Amino acid sequence: MLLFTVLSVSLVFIIGIGLYYKSIPVLQNSTWWHLLTSSVWKPLKGLFGFYPYIMGTLWVTGIAIIIALPLCVLTSLYIVEYAHSRVRRILMPFVNLLSGIPPVIFGVWGVLFIIPLIQDHIAPHFVEFSTGYSVLAGGIVLAVMIFPLIVSIINEVLRTMPQELKDASLALGATKWETVKKVILRKALPGIIAATVLAISRAFGETIAVLMVCGNNAVVPHSVFDAGYPLPALIANNYGDMMSIPLYDSALMFAALLLFIIILLFNIISRIILTRLERRISA
Amino acid sequence: MTKDKAHISVQDLNVHIGGNHILKDINIDIPNKSVTSIIGPSGCGKTTLLKTFNRLHDTAADVKVTGKVLVDGEDIYDPNTEITHIRKKMGLLSQRPYPLPMSIYDNVAYGPRIHGIRKKQDLDIIVEKQLKATALWNEVKDRLNSSATRLSIGQQQRLCLARGLAVGPEIILGDESTSALDPVSTSIIEDLFVKLKQDYSIVLVTHILRQAARVSDYIIFVYNGRIVEYGKTEQVLRDPHEELTKEYVKGYIV
Amino acid sequence: MRRRNLEELFFKFLMVLATLIVGGSFFLIVGTIFYKGAPYMTFDMLTKIPGGGFYIGKEGGILNAIIGSMYVAGGATILGLIISIPVAIYINMYMDGQKFLANTLRMVFDVLFGIPSIVYGAFGFLIMVYFGLRASLLGGIIAVTLLVIPILVRTLDEVIRTVPLELRDAALSLGSTRWETAKVVLRAIRPGIITAILISFGRAIGDVAAVLFTAGFSDNIPTSLHEPAATLPLAIFFQLGSPIEEVQGRGYASALILTIVVLIITILSELLVKKFYKHKS
């Protein structure tokens, strides 16, 4: 039992060390700084600039959070503060079902629904031509994928708010919305931040659904209708060539290491915030 | 004469919560500018009665209220009544202090700001006045911008009282407001109640008979959702008419 | 007064709208998949392997991917359980005096849960290279096992924590050893274990990124652990990329199959969770 526990916990370190070990060749060939900021990607010459991929990841994740966060905060407020408990009992199972849908299905939905929507109905209002395969499509699909995660965390946070605190504000003659805006949201802020950080780290690592809709063009996007090429998609798309070109496998493992480090940090941060919040409320 | 004019008038009030009949046929007039204590064993419905006065039950599901509660002659359960207007008339002091998640100053200024006072000067005056009224000014005047949660529990409760007074209420509702406090803080709050009754009508829920005796002019004894006895403090405690009241206050007399 | 009430109404409207979008997205997704997939749904889809190559062949079904997915998800869940049950018991029953350590371990598993499957896939690939394995059923099972361990540990951990302390104490005070007590606890949480299996299986069967490097792909049903195996999500992904309409259609139908399978699993586990907690309280 102890052995299994130690082994599975040390998985974190083993993965980190393993990926780092495999990244050493490309790191010897270049510096961290150069790898992160260069835009030149010429595997045959041993040049690996991750900048466009990092920007692709940031664009897609940013769009997803901008779409999902307000929607989820409003939804949670409605479910917890306003709606009859019946609404929650009916709605939450569907949110849970949504979280069970595999990424590839989100990808298929993106191709069948979001891409045509952007191509025919949204993009024409803003740009001359768009295939629909864009960071916006990736962002929308990702946003829907992180709905359940954000809603369920914020629901939990809101439900720990003491009724007396709300009563105190209401008793002063504040309306319900004023109470929500000035007291509840302020008190729930750390929880909302933790949910966001967790959602960001989830969005960072999402591979297949994003890969299917965001165009995979390795240039830094300049508008939401441009195609992007996030890091996970880079890894997934090129695994076939990995072994045939020297240093290529090392570069892709470096990409995986990058994802691993960022997501590890974000996860730890949000877990610490959430645990603190839990402790403060139960104290 | 004005002193005994009814400020809150309850008529045929019945409250059901989740199918349980919590308050039964309540009829009572609560007088102006005096302290009225609601006493009774726990679970008898005294807090529920207090909460019907400012409709805080609205926030809970499954609560059904019938009958009338008149405040200054206006039925607060009338659908046309503006609920925020009713609540502004009453300050609530709950069992434990719940400072809002903001600074000391902003806690007191919260109510006035909501009701449209924006000017810093006006707010400054209100904050200082109410903090003085609750004997808190000297303790906090140098740290008005620090978080309210850093105050001691006793200070927090006085801050909550100041916060309630800042919206200019006519009535103060206290729900076992001293039960979480130490004896010194308790006596400060009790003294404040006695002082404040010159300007406000005060209704307190308490299960401490000595406290009811110390601060109140009138006592309402509630048992099992019904009002058993209602009268002047002295009479209810010394010479109760009802057998049930006699049983309940027995501990006090000895 | 008017302005304040208008503001309240406005935001309440926004909240209802947001709730409809968030709740409606589920129906939109499932609806789209049904609408596109149903016309291509045939009996052959479920019973035949692809004819003439999965990318260009117009005939046959995806039996290879269905079986492959069952093997990978089933194998990973079984392997994951063998590792996770002892871990969950250890955290809950052998670390009585070390609450901080136990909670830190829980956090580590939460963090492991947050690591994306592409990283597990890449790491699984590293292990395979290290041991000289080719992309195969075994490789896929190993990578997916890593992916489901954190899920299984945390689910089992939550379930074990619902077992009343009295039950454990009663067993212990009767003179049982901790291991015997653990067996009592395991019996008490049997429905919880089934829930954990369902959740893990549902996650495993839907994942692409972890099997992409490790399981390979094949038009045939694997007959040994060392043969490459097709999986449903990967089959969907590849078929969708085909220029041939019939193959794309098969991709939609495959998506429908996967959606139905995962929905059934999720609903079952939700019902079990509900029943389990009702039973407890």
Side-chain angles (χ1 to χ4, degrees):
Chain A
M1 269 185 264
L2 182 61
L3 178 74
F4 278 161
T5 309
V6 170
L7 266 183
S8 49
V9 164
S10 51
L11 207 55
V12 179
F13 305 101
I14 300 173
I15 292 176
I17 292 165
L19 292 177
Y20 178 73
Y21 179 74
K22 274 289 176 181
S23 311
I24 289 176
V26 78
L27 282 167
Q28 276 172 342
N29 201 38
S30 183
T31 60
W32 276 84
W33 179 249
H34 188 75
L35 286 173
L36 297 184
T37 56
S38 161
S39 300
V40 184
W41 184 266
K42 286 189 177 134
L44 288 170
K45 291 184 180 165
L47 294 174
F48 299 97
F50 283 94
Y51 186 67
Y53 304 99
I54 294 171
M55 287 316 284
T57 302
L58 291 181
W59 269 82
V60 173
T61 306
I63 293 169
I65 296 291
I66 289 170
I67 295 173
L69 191 62
L71 283 175
C72 291
V73 170
L74 286 167
T75 301
S76 286
L77 284 174
Y78 184 69
I79 293 176
V80 178
E81 298 295 336
Y82 282 83
H84 197 277
S85 60
R86 217 182 305 140
V87 176
R88 194 183 71 229
R89 280 202 301 274
I90 294 171
L91 191 77
M92 283 319 282
F94 289 113
V95 175
N96 290 339
L97 282 182
L98 189 63
S99 76
I101 291 181
V104 71
I105 300 296
F106 280 96
V108 175
W109 174 68
V111 171
L112 294 178
F113 188 84
I114 297 295
I115 298 291
L117 186 75
I118 292 176
Q119 188 182 4
D120 300 334
H121 299 287
I122 301 179
H125 296 289
F126 300 96
V127 289
E128 266 179 32
F129 175 74
S130 166
T131 57
Y133 290 89
S134 56
V135 286
L136 179 63
I140 294 175
V141 170
L142 259 186
V144 178
M145 290 182 80
I146 57 181
F147 279 166
L149 179 74
I150 308 184
V151 167
S152 57
I153 296 179
I154 298 185
N155 271 5
E156 285 307 308
V157 172
L158 289 180
R159 280 162 78 172
T160 58
M161 296 289 139
Q163 181 63 43
E164 289 83 351
L165 189 69
K166 299 174 206 166
D167 283 353
S169 167
L170 292 174
L172 292 168
T175 60
K176 186 138 194 178
W177 169 246
E178 284 163 342
T179 305
V180 164
K181 183 172 63 172
K182 294 183 177 171
V183 178
I184 297 179
L185 281 183
R186 191 182 290 216
K187 191 97 175 170
L189 194 61
I192 295 175
I193 291 173
T196 311
V197 173
L198 214 53
I200 291 175
S201 77
R202 176 76 177 279
F204 263 179
E206 183 42 51
T207 310
I208 202 79
V210 180
L211 180 155
M212 289 167 81
V213 296
C214 73
N216 302 329
N217 190 1
V219 267
V220 179
H222 293 287
S223 98
V224 294
F225 299 109
D226 286 350
Y229 204 159
L231 276 173
L234 169 74
I235 306 172
N237 264 344
N238 295 292
Y239 82 105
D241 314 328
M242 201 140 71
M243 308 311 283
S244 52
I245 303 168
L247 278 183
Y248 205 164
D249 64 325
S250 179
L252 291 183
M253 287 304 158
F254 177 75
L257 177 68
L258 218 55
L259 275 179
F260 174 77
I261 294 172
I262 295 170
I263 288 165
L264 197 65
L265 283 179
F266 274 46
N267 260 282
I268 293 173
I269 293 169
S270 67
R271 292 293 169 194
I272 288 175
I273 299 176
L274 283 174
T275 328
R276 283 230 178 123
L277 208 66
E278 219 168 273
R279 207 175 301 150
R280 205 176 62 196
I281 281 155
S282 62
Chain B
M1 191 55 214
T2 52
K3 196 173 164 69
D4 286 306
K5 201 189 87 187
H7 201 166
I8 302 176
S9 178
V10 182
Q11 295 167 5
D12 300 322
L13 180 78
N14 278 280
V15 177
H16 295 259
I17 300 178
N20 295 320
H21 201 171
I22 304 293
L23 290 177
K24 301 159 190 163
D25 305 322
I26 305 286
N27 279 288
I28 204 160
D29 288 335
I30 290 175
N32 204 0
K33 308 251 157 99
S34 36
V35 179
T36 307
S37 289
I38 305 174
I39 62 168
S42 43
C44 70
K46 50 189 194 300
T47 297
T48 308
L49 180 59
L50 192 80
K51 282 190 171 180
T52 55
F53 294 163
N54 68 349
R55 274 179 59 178
L56 269 184
H57 291 307
D58 285 18
T59 58
D62 305 333
V63 178
K64 208 179 100 213
V65 179
T66 58
K68 280 183 178 177
V69 177
L70 304 176
V71 175
D72 292 330
E74 184 186 11
D75 182 8
I76 66 168
Y77 282 92
D78 188 313
N80 294 323
T81 304
E82 189 74 48
I83 181 71
T84 52
H85 171 66
I86 293 298
R87 291 195 180 129
K88 182 173 176 258
K89 276 191 182 178
M90 307 193 205
L92 173 77
L93 203 53
S94 54
Q95 282 192 17
R96 296 173 49 82
Y98 280 93
L100 302 173
M102 45 190 89
S103 72
I104 296 171
Y105 183 97
D106 289 336
N107 258 276
V108 184
Y110 180 83
R113 277 185 179 137
I114 274 178
H115 296 291
I117 299 175
R118 296 256 176 271
K119 266 203 232 149
K120 177 94 171 81
Q121 285 160 300
D122 299 342
L123 289 170
D124 284 349
I125 293 169
I126 295 174
V127 170
E128 182 172 346
K129 181 179 163 209
Q130 300 307 343
L131 287 176
K132 277 179 174 160
T134 50
L136 205 55
W137 178 250
N138 285 329
E139 294 163 44
V140 301
K141 66 179 177 206
D142 300 323
R143 45 176 175 143
L144 288 175
N145 289 320
S146 66
S147 168
T149 47
R150 296 221 190 105
L151 297 172
S152 74
I153 297 287
Q155 287 173 323
Q156 285 183 17
Q157 191 64 311
R158 276 182 282 153
L159 179 69
C160 291
L161 184 57
R163 182 179 70 192
L165 296 179
V167 294
E170 298 159 13
I171 301 167
I172 298 169
L173 305 175
D175 180 12
E176 308 211 13
S177 313
T178 60
S179 59
L181 306 185
D182 59 278
V184 178
S185 303
T186 300
S187 94
I188 294 177
I189 295 275
E190 285 180 1
D191 291 348
L192 279 171
F193 283 148
V194 174
K195 208 174 86 191
L196 289 169
K197 76 174 179 186
Q198 288 168 2
D199 302 308
Y200 304 90
S201 307
I202 301 175
V203 187
L204 304 175
V205 163
T206 179
H207 64 270
I208 309 164
L209 290 176
R210 285 174 191 285
Q211 184 170 58
R214 276 195 297 267
V215 299
S216 54
D217 305 298
Y218 299 90
I219 286 183
I220 302 170
F221 174 54
V222 181
Y223 189 79
N224 233 342
R226 291 182 195 283
I227 292 183
V228 177
E229 188 155 358
Y230 173 38
K232 294 230 182 223
T233 300
E234 190 71 359
Q235 176 258 310
V236 175
L237 290 181
R238 295 277 169 205
D239 179 27
H241 301 317
E242 302 292 327
E243 214 36 54
L244 268 171
T245 322
K246 232 173 250 172
E247 279 293 308
Y248 187 73
V249 301
K250 205 162 58 184
Y252 171 72
I253 304 164
V254 230
Chain C
M1 195 55 71
R2 238 203 141 70
R3 193 190 58 78
R4 294 170 63 199
N5 288 341
L6 276 178
E7 190 181 323
E8 172 107 37
L9 261 176
F10 173 70
F11 277 97
K12 210 168 162 182
F13 168 75
L14 281 188
M15 284 180 217
V16 174
L17 197 67
T19 308
L20 286 177
I21 293 174
V22 171
S25 57
F26 169 76
F27 296 98
L28 194 56
I29 291 170
V30 174
T32 308
I33 302 292
F34 262 85
Y35 178 75
K36 280 284 188 175
Y40 296 96
M41 203 54 201
T42 58
F43 198 60
D44 280 0
M45 284 295 297
L46 299 171
T47 53
K48 290 202 173 137
I49 59 170
F54 69 88
Y55 195 72
I56 43 170
K58 298 179 184 177
E59 301 297 316
I62 48 153
L63 183 67
N64 59 327
I66 296 175
I67 302 283
S69 265
M70 292 293 161
Y71 282 165
V72 170
T77 302
I78 293 169
L79 208 57
L81 268 183
I82 294 174
I83 298 170
S84 311
I85 290 180
V87 174
I89 289 178
Y90 188 79
I91 292 179
N92 277 286
M93 304 199 49
Y94 286 78
M95 300 183 76
D96 285 341
Q98 301 141 298
K99 262 211 126 117
F100 177 76
L101 195 58
N103 283 331
T104 310
L105 286 184
R106 289 193 175 102
M107 204 180 101
V108 171
F109 282 105
D110 280 342
V111 170
L112 275 173
F113 175 63
I115 291 174
S117 52
I118 186 89
V119 172
Y120 283 111
F123 180 68
F125 182 74
L126 286 187
I127 298 180
M128 284 167 46
V129 172
Y130 187 81
F131 287 106
L133 292 172
R134 279 186 315 122
S136 61
L137 184 56
L138 180 64
I141 290 177
I142 292 174
V144 178
T145 302
L146 298 178
L147 181 75
V148 295
I149 284 176
I151 303 172
L152 282 167
V153 169
R154 287 299 275 132
T155 315
L156 289 171
D157 174 49
E158 293 294 329
V159 174
I160 292 178
R161 279 207 275 184
T162 63
V163 175
L165 278 171
E166 295 81 43
L167 179 67
R168 302 192 222 167
D169 291 348
L172 276 175
S173 65
L174 287 172
S176 347
T177 60
R178 279 208 241 201
W179 173 236
E180 284 164 334
T181 314
K183 279 194 281 187
V184 174
V185 170
L186 277 182
R187 209 167 308 139
I189 61 161
R190 217 178 303 161
I193 295 179
I194 296 172
T195 312
I197 291 174
L198 286 175
I199 293 174
S200 150
F201 192 84
R203 176 82 195 269
I205 203 171
D207 199 81
V208 183
V211 291
L212 191 57
F213 311 139
T214 51
F217 202 86
S218 154
D219 281 352
N220 299 308
I221 297 165
T223 50
S224 95
L225 279 174
H226 297 289
E227 280 178 32
T231 47
L232 256 179
L234 215 49
I236 296 169
F237 179 57
F238 285 148
Q239 292 178 116
L240 228 60
S242 161
I244 298 163
E245 208 193 312
E246 283 87 347
V247 182
Q248 280 188 12
R250 270 212 324 253
Y252 303 150
S254 315
L256 180 57
I257 294 170
L258 179 62
T259 307
I260 292 172
V261 169
V262 168
L263 283 184
I264 290 174
I265 292 172
T266 318
I267 291 170
L268 273 181
S269 66
E270 288 274 314
L271 288 178
L272 259 175
V273 168
K274 228 171 240 167
K275 206 172 142 198
F276 183 65
Y277 281 98
K278 200 184 279 169
H279 175 68
K280 285 287 149 208
S281 62

